[in-house]
Amino acid sequence: MKLIEPTMEYDQQIQAYRKEYLESGDSMDGGASLRKFDKTQDWLDQLEPLTSQYIYVREEDGKVVGVIQLRHHFNEFLRKYAGHIGYSVCPSERRKGYATQMLTGVLPECRRLGILDVLVTCLEDNEASRRTILKNGGVYESTVFEPKSRSRIERYWIRLSP
């Protein structure tokens, strides 16, 4: 498995990932609006400069099994509801530990950027994401209500050493 920045080299795999998500009807967290783009280059062109976007690729077959985004700075929404990191795993690849591996893999980049207190959130009813955050040292802070989606969101902090 490898965590890499997305490029056109992975165009077909990225679009296959997107297609599976669209067919499942699930949210695609950490994908920087990938669901809106049927052309990978258009998605790459809109990536924000103050984020780090990664795809998680299974080396044996080149399949993109997950996406994860690290947000370097907060706006009001990120500060309250979304946090520094968003991620998702392809529906057909869940329950294999990939989310935990992805989160573990991006934390050194947080440290490199000087983000030592990392906010990671999940929906209150997302037990799998909660376990992923806890396995990576997340400490529960609070649950907040996000009015637009009418969702209860749990906030966790992962403290990194300098």
Side-chain angles (χ1 to χ4, degrees), residues 68-83:
I68 188 166
Q69 183 181 68
L70 167 58
R71 301 148 188 141
H72 304 183
H73 301 283
F74 285 156
N75 59 28
E76 193 62 25
F77 180 84
L78 295 175
R79 181 182 336 282
K80 287 183 180 179
Y81 308 115

Side-chain angles (χ1 to χ4, degrees), residues 13 16-24 26 58 61 63-66 88-98:
Q13 297 91 329
Y17 179 86
R18 177 182 176 272
K19 181 178 185 231
E20 185 171 334
Y21 252 98
L22 291 175
E23 288 173 353
S24 76
D26 286 350
R58 186 169 47 218
D61 60 3
K63 182 174 183 176
V64 174
V65 299
S88 58
V89 173
C90 196
S92 65
E93 299 293 338
R94 292 182 181 154
R95 306 189 69 77
K96 298 178 182 178
Y98 293 146

Side-chain angles (χ1 to χ4, degrees), residues 75-136:
N75 59 28
E76 193 62 25
F77 180 84
L78 295 175
R79 181 182 336 282
K80 287 183 180 179
Y81 308 115
H84 287 102
I85 298 172
Y87 55 87
S88 58
V89 173
C90 196
S92 65
E93 299 293 338
R94 292 182 181 154
R95 306 189 69 77
K96 298 178 182 178
Y98 293 146
T100 299
Q101 293 168 25
M102 289 184 341
L103 184 52
T104 299
V106 83
L107 290 175
E109 179 66 8
C110 293
R111 185 179 293 108
R112 189 186 73 71
L113 291 168
I115 304 169
L116 300 180
D117 291 309
V118 182
L119 177 61
V120 186
T121 67
C122 67
L123 293 173
E124 184 178 55
D125 63 354
N126 190 336
E127 181 61 34
S129 190
R130 178 183 305 109
R131 284 193 311 270
T132 293
I133 296 166
L134 292 171
K135 286 178 187 173
N136 276 280

